[in-house]
Amino acid sequence: MMFVVLSVLPVEAADEDRFSRLVAPVGARVLTDRTSSIDHFRLVLSAQKRAAATTFADRELRISGSLRRLAWESSEKLDLDGLLEPLQNELAQGMSARVLYQCQDLDCGSSHFWANEIFENGRLVGRDNQQRYMVVYLPPTAAATPSTLRAPATLLLVYATQRGPRQTVVGLDMIETSDNVLPGVVNRADISSMLSISSGWLPGFQVTDGQFDSVASAPLLNVLTSLSQGVQQRLFLVVHCYQSNDMSVNQTCSDRLAQQLRVAGFDMGAGLNVSGQAALALPPDGRLVPALRFVFWPRR
């Protein structure tokens, strides 16, 4: 995953038109311009994977909020980097923002995936070796209120590709959401606090490219392996995967990650009880990424 710190002007209602003007190719025909409420919107923040005829990403979030969706079609073959440059220049002024993920060409995977599954517009299908995808996070510009609890942030999802010898298509999703989309920083205190109850979800379980990331998961491993032997014997860890509609694929994923976590704990001198249970529990926060559940048994 790629994180780049940018700066951006405060987001106001007029910014929607400003951003759309920056992205729209000159003289392009509007394919889509609509606004709607969204629930469980699929926000993809990592490279594509494919298993059992299902395309997914290691890092996906499901978010709710409001969406303005636009798309354009140009009758010219445009340079994709030059097409996105005005928006990137605009994002280089004012207050902090972050590029949460971006890719280009074959690194983006299948154009059909972005066009049909993410932007829901088959007219955006183009060449896999000539595409760009970018997700930009714009922080809230107003304080939260008792009715919202969290002030809404803005996400810009941009997809551009060349379709045919003389055609370029561009999609732009502008989302306002109060959901937390930034990766959190997990420390020992967070993990120890969670383990003070009988069961729940443990933070700090990190997976990279489908494999348990022992380096990124160091805070979690340090806490688990520092527990007394008696506590470890009563602690049962369960890995869940949500990458596929095929439960057998999720089971294979969870078994693999469970084994990798077990080995990592053994290497640090601890005997951890870890098993995999596919997607047999609803994911925490609706995020379709591997997650680690725990339970103490017998109950203390």
Side-chain angles (χ1 to χ4, degrees):
M1 187 188 306
M2 182 179 299
F3 294 95
V4 180
V5 176
L6 299 171
S7 54
V8 63
L9 297 175
V11 177
E12 300 173 353
D15 287 333
E16 286 195 357
D17 291 330
R18 178 158 55 93
F19 291 138
S20 64
R21 286 195 298 269
L22 291 168
V23 172
V26 175
R29 182 169 68 92
V30 177
L31 297 175
T32 303
D33 185 352
R34 67 175 185 268
T35 302
S36 62
S37 297
I38 52 173
D39 190 24
H40 298 297
F41 180 90
R42 189 177 181 183
L43 178 63
V44 176
L45 297 172
S46 67
Q48 295 177 26
K49 306 289 183 182
R50 189 164 179 82
T54 301
T55 301
F56 59 94
D58 282 335
R59 178 165 168 76
E60 294 189 14
L61 303 178
R62 298 286 179 163
I63 62 173
S64 302
S66 61
L67 165 69
R68 184 180 180 191
R69 170 163 282 170
L70 300 106
W72 301 269
E73 178 183 73
S74 172
S75 58
E76 298 182 49
K77 183 178 181 180
L78 303 174
D79 176 71
L80 299 181
D81 291 327
L83 180 63
L84 297 181
E85 186 175 359
L87 174 63
Q88 293 170 332
N89 290 339
E90 184 76 4
L91 295 175
Q93 308 174 49
M95 57 182 285
S96 294
R98 301 172 73 174
V99 174
L100 299 184
Y101 177 67
Q102 59 184 345
C103 63
Q104 65 180 44
D105 301 333
L106 294 176
D107 288 340
C108 291
S110 167
S111 175
H112 284 269
F113 171 78
W114 299 113
N116 294 313
E117 297 194 34
I118 305 305
F119 289 86
E120 299 180 340
N121 187 344
R123 300 294 297 274
L124 294 179
V125 174
R127 297 177 174 177
D128 291 351
N129 63 345
Q130 295 175 338
Q131 56 180 331
R132 300 289 186 275
Y133 175 68
M134 179 171 65
V135 181
V136 180
Y137 172 86
L138 311 180
T141 59
T145 66
S147 61
T148 62
L149 298 181
R150 189 195 301 268
T154 301
L155 293 169
L156 303 179
L157 281 65
V158 186
Y159 181 71
T161 184
Q162 293 174 354
R163 189 183 67 194
R166 294 184 56 82
Q167 230 174 25
T168 304
V169 286
V170 183
L172 171 64
D173 282 0
M174 292 178 283
I175 301 171
E176 283 198 357
T177 180
S178 296
D179 295 343
N180 182 23
V181 300
L182 296 179
V185 177
V186 177
N187 55 40
R188 291 178 60 94
D190 296 327
I191 300 165
S192 298
S193 175
M194 183 57 67
L195 286 172
S196 66
I197 61 178
S198 297
S199 64
W201 296 92
L202 279 178
F205 183 73
Q206 299 295 326
V207 174
T208 302
D209 294 330
Q211 306 297 316
F212 174 66
D213 192 331
S214 59
V215 175
S217 302
L220 172 66
L221 282 171
N222 289 336
V223 171
L224 294 176
T225 56
S226 66
L227 297 172
S228 68
Q229 184 176 5
V231 172
Q232 288 180 9
Q233 289 175 347
R234 293 189 294 109
L235 176 63
F236 291 84
L237 304 171
V238 184
V239 177
H240 295 278
C241 286
Y242 304 92
Q243 68 185 44
S244 174
N245 292 328
D246 185 337
M247 196 62 76
S248 65
V249 173
N250 294 325
Q251 186 64 56
T252 299
C253 167
S254 60
D255 287 341
R256 180 182 68 253
L257 295 178
Q259 174 64 12
Q260 292 170 353
L261 174 57
R262 192 180 305 112
V263 170
F266 180 80
D267 290 343
M268 297 178 67
L272 301 177
N273 301 307
V274 193
S275 60
Q277 286 192 1
L280 299 180
L282 293 177
D285 303 324
R287 304 195 316 151
L288 300 181
V289 295
L292 184 64
R293 192 162 52 91
F294 77 94
V295 60
F296 281 102
W297 193 263
R299 297 183 63 181
R300 56 182 180 181

